Each structure stands twice: as C-alpha cells, then as structure tokens.
C-alpha cells in the first residue's frame, strides 16, 4: 500500500526527461515492493509452517493429556473402590469374629451351668458353631480381598500409574521439543529471505548512488534551453542630436526586441500556463519553458526547443516511412504470390491496399521533406546566431551582427521579425549546411529530396535501417535509440499450426512463441521472428492464426 500510494504518475514528458533522483526513487519503490513481497512470504511461511504446526501440536497435546489424566483418574478410582471393598470385608470379619467369640463364651457358660437343660446347652453349641463358621467365611473373604487389594495396589503404583506419568512426561517433552523446533523454523523462515532482503537493500543503496545532481541540472537545461541571445548594449541617447524621438523609438524598439529574444515574450498571444518566474527572465511564457509547441512547424517555440522538436519529428517520420515501405513491400510480395498461384487469392484484392499504401507513403515522404527543410532552416539560423561572424566586437565598443540586409547597424538588427537570415557573404556552404543538419540529427542521414527510396535505406526490407550506408553520404553510426530494427514490437503465440506454402512465409506449430517484428498492416499477415538451430528466421504468418501481446 505504501508503494502504491507513492508511485509517481507516468507521463510521456517525464519519461523522456527523467531526473536521476526520480529514477532512483522509482527503483527504491521497486526494492521496497520486493521487501514487502518478502515480508509477505515470511508471513505466509510462518502461517503455514509454524503457526499451523503449533495449533496442530497444541490440539494433539490437549487430547493426549486429557486421555492420560482420565486414565490416571480411572486407575485411582478403581484402587479406591478396591480399598473400600477391603475395608468392608475387614469390618465384616471383625464383626463375625466378635460374635463367634461371644457364642463360644456363651456355650462354655451354658456347659458349666448344671441348672440348664441339655437342650439349652446344645442350642448354645449349635449357635457357637454357626458363629464360628460365619467368622471363618468372613476371614476368608477378608483375606481374599486383602490379597486382591494388595495386588491391585502394587499394580497401580508400580506399573499403571507410572505409565500415566511417563505418558504425561512424554507429552510435556514433546511440547518443549515442538517449541524448540518452531522457534528454529521461525528463524529459518527469516534466513530464507534474508539474501533477497539484503539484495533489496543493496539495490536501494545502488539507487541512491545513481543520483547525479549535475546530470539532473543538465536535463533541466536541455529541456528549457531557449537559444535566445541576451540583449545587446543599450546605446547612449545624445539629446543634443536633432532627432531624439527617432533615437528614442529606435532604442525602445531595440531593447524590447532584445528582451523578447531573451524571454520569448510577444511571440504568441495564446493563453499559457502560469509558471513561477526567476529574476523576471524565466517568465510564465510557453516559449521559454514549455517544450510542447502549439503550431505544426513548432515556430512558437524557442530556437533550441524548436530544433529538438523538428529533429524528433523527422526521426518519427523516417520510422513511419520505413514501416510503410516495409508494408508496401509485403503487399508487393503477396501480390506476386497471388499472381503466381491464383488458388491462394485474387491479386486485385491486394491492389487497392497497395495503392493506399503507396499514397500514404507519398504523403509521409512529402511531410518528411517539409520537416527536413524546416530543420535545415532552424540549424542554419542557429549556426549563424552562434557563429563568430554573427556577434563581433568592433573597436569602438559597439556590437554588430550580420543580418539579412547585410547591415551592421545594431538598432536595425531585429527589424525582420526577430529572425536572423544569412546573406550571401556570411551564408554557409551547401555542404556545411548539410553537415550541421546531420549533426543536429544525432548522426542520422537524411535524404535531401525527402524520399524513402531503396537507395536511402527506407524502402528496403525491415532488416535494413535508414541511413545504414545504402546510398548515404554520411557514414556516421545510426542512433540506436530511435532505430532498432531488431527490437521486437511484442510476442505472439500460435493458436493453430501453419505450413508455409507461399514465398516469404514461415511455418509454425501450435503453441509456439514468436517475436512480432511488424504488426498487421491490414493485409491479414503479421511479420514474426523466431530463433532456431539455423539462427534467426523471419517471415509472415496469418494474423488470424496467432494471439499477439504487444509491448506497452
């Protein structure tokens, strides 16, 4: 939740000009997200491997302890019951023994008394015998119960009850051993993710080390650099001269125009976003702070920003021309295949698409030529503005510039709408102009006529890049940031098997993963690439046979 709340909002402008501090912050967020993921792993492992085990062990221990206690209570109750039976047998024996003694005593008294009849004596003798018999039976029962009780008591204290206590001891040791194991397991869960956590912390430190304040400052400079020149020296107003109003007007016009060159004021009346100014220079004008440009030719932007926009537009159009040329080549191949084998399709169905592709290609080439000329003009203006001839110091201390009218009068230097135009004497040669254009485009070769002919590298197959050396007069390396022909646009998975029967197509099996090189241009075919034992293979497959996942 913390990472989600503080995730920076994505914008195209920020992606193009990202500060190292922002990139580092994003990397820190990624590492924090990984840390959070590891903490989730720890929590999940503790839940599944430790807490569940503790709950299960506690449940089993409670059940086993309850059984052991019940067994001990049952053994104790059985012993107490037997001791009670022994006590009753003993009391019965004591009672029968006393009654037998009384009966013997009564018989002896009766036998010694001569006054009693023989019948009374016989009666006492019979009673004595009965009491003696009862006493002997009670004695035997008492002896039997005593033997049983002693045996049970011995069994209870020597075998049964020790077994119960041993069981309780084992349960307690099992509980203690479980506590030991679960504590170690909890530590192991932490140990398992500690290398990943350490790696995340190293990533955070690495992200912090990647911050470079100088590079961030250069990004700001490159983003908002206007290219305007500071105003020239304000001339002295000599009121003794006959026409002071003209000089005053000239000075006012010069100073205001120079300030406009510095801040970009007065170039547009559109409502612009307000920005905080610094010393009254970087005011809330879109011309010196914004890099968007509202006009199609970006003429509302400062010179430096305009050149950047024009360069990016030229590169974008070159890419579009290359893609459209590749699509046109694919349609031509398909038409040739259809003409060779009419069973595969009607060539007339491809002709309409081919015509549309040719028309689009012509429009793109025309637009590319127009932006190339605009870029050439912008670069020429920039070269003249920063050249030694454009800003010379004369011996009398006045600064003069060469302009379109060939005059070096400073007061008239901005009469032509604030733009500098080279004259015949100070203009660049054709080769120097082209060289400056090429250098401003990061080493990209631009065809002077704006066309994307096969010789220029734009009309060739997709594996050849614009300006790669085919018909190019500049052998500088390509800017791989904008032109990477081998970079896939995405991936695709084959939904059905396909047997390549036509020229330019490649077979594929169901479920096979391939790289998308060119998307479907409306002809029903997608250009893909795969790696096999023979190396990289490229070709066309039916779009309806695959499921594409393009990169964002």
């Amino acid at each position: 939740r913390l990472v989600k709340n503080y995730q920076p909002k994505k914008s195209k402008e920020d992606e193009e000009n990202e500060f190292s501090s922002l990139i580092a912050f994003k990397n820190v967020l990624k590492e924090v997200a990984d840390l959070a993921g590891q903490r989730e792993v720890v929590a999940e492992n503790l839940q599944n491997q430790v807490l569940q085990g503790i709950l299960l062990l506690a449940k089993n221990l409670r059940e086993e302890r309850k059984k052991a206690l019940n067994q001990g209570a049952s053994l104790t109750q059985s012993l107490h019951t037997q001791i009670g039976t022994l006590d009753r047998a003993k009391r019965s024996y004591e009672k029968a023994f006393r009654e037998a003694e009384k009966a013997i005593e009564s018989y002896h008294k009766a036998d010694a008394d001569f006054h009693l009849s023989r019948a009374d004596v016989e009666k006492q003798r019979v009673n004595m015998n009965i009491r003696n018999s009862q006493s002997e039976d009670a004695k035997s029962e008492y002896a039997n119960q005593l033997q049983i009780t002693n045996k049970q008591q011995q069994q209870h204290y020597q075998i049964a009850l020790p077994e119960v206590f041993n069981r309780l001891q084992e349960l307690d040791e099992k509980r203690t051993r479980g506590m030991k194991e679960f504590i170690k397991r909890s530590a192991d869960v932490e140990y398992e993710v500690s290398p990943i956590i350490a790696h995340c912390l190293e990533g955070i430190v690495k992200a912090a080390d990647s911050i470079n304040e100088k590079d961030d400052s250069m990004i700001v400079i490159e983003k908002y650099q206007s290219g305007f020149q500071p105003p020239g020296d304000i001339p002295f107003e000599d009121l003794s001269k006959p026409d002071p109003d003209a000089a005053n007007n000239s000075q006012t016009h010069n100073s205001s125009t120079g300030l406009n060159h510095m801040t970009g004021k007065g170039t547009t009346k559109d409502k612009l976003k307000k920005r905080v100014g610094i010393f009254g220079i970087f005011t809330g004008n879109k011309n010196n702070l914004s890099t968007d440009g509202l006009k199609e030719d970006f003429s509302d932007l400062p010179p430096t920003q305009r050149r950047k926009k024009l360069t990016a537009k030229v590169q974008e159009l070159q890419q579009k021309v290359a893609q459209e040329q590749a699509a046109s080549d694919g349609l031509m191949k398909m038409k040739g295949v259809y003409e060779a084998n009419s069973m595969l399709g009607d060539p007339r169905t491809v002709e309409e698409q081919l015509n549309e592709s040719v028309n689009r290609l012509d429009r793109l080439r025309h637009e590319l030529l127009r932006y190339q000329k605009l870029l050439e003009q912008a670069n020429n203006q920039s070269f003249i503005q920063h050249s030694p001839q454009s800003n010379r110091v004369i011996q009398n201390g006045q600064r003069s510039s060469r302009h379109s009218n060939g005059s070096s009068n400073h007061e008239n230097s901005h009469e032509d709408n604030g733009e500098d135009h080279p004259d015949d004497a100070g203009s660049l040669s054709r080769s120097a102009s082209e060289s400056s254009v090429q250098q401003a485009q990061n080493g990209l070769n631009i065809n002077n006529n704006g066309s994307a002919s096969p010789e220029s590298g734009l009309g060739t197959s997709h594996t050849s890049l614009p300006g790669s050396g085919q018909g190019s007069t500049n052998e500088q390396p390509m800017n791989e940031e904008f032109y990477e022909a081998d970079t896939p646009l995405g991936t695709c998975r084959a939904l059905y098997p396909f047997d390549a029967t036509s020229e330019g197509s490649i077979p594929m099996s169901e479920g096979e993963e391939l790289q998308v090189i060119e998307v479907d241009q409306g002809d029903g075919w997608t250009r893909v690439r795969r790696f096999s034992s023979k190396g990289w293979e490229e070709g066309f497959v039916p779009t309806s046979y695959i499921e594409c996942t393009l990169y964002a």
Side-chain angles (χ1 to χ4, degrees), residues 4 41 80 130 191 251 262 290 302 304 352 369 397 438 498:
K4 183 179 179 181
V41 171
H80 289 169
I130 292 173
Y191 275 128
Q251 174 213 349
M262 180 177 180
S290 175
T304 302
E352 183 177 355
L369 176 61
Q438 291 171 350
F498 174 70

Side-chain angles (χ1 to χ4, degrees), residues 435 438-439 442-445 467-468 472 474-479:
S435 175
Q438 291 171 350
Q439 291 175 0
N442 297 326
L444 294 177
N445 296 324
S468 61
S472 173
N474 192 346
E475 296 298 329
Q476 295 180 356
M478 293 296 299
N479 188 343

Side-chain angles (χ1 to χ4, degrees), residues 296 298 309-325 360-375 441 444 446 450-452 458 466 482-483:
E296 186 179 3
F298 306 109
K309 283 292 184 179
L310 289 173
T311 301
K313 188 68 175 179
V314 168
Q315 293 169 350
E316 178 186 356
L317 290 174
Q318 286 177 337
Q319 287 182 339
K320 290 183 178 180
V321 168
Q323 293 176 357
E324 193 64 38
Q325 183 66 45
R360 287 195 299 268
L361 189 59
D362 291 340
R363 288 195 299 269
L364 289 173
R365 288 173 175 172
H366 183 269
E367 188 175 4
L368 175 61
L369 176 61
R370 184 166 65 90
Y371 277 100
Q372 285 175 340
K373 291 181 178 179
L374 290 174
L375 179 60
Q441 295 175 357
L444 294 177
I446 302 174
S451 64
L458 297 179
F482 297 98
Y483 290 93

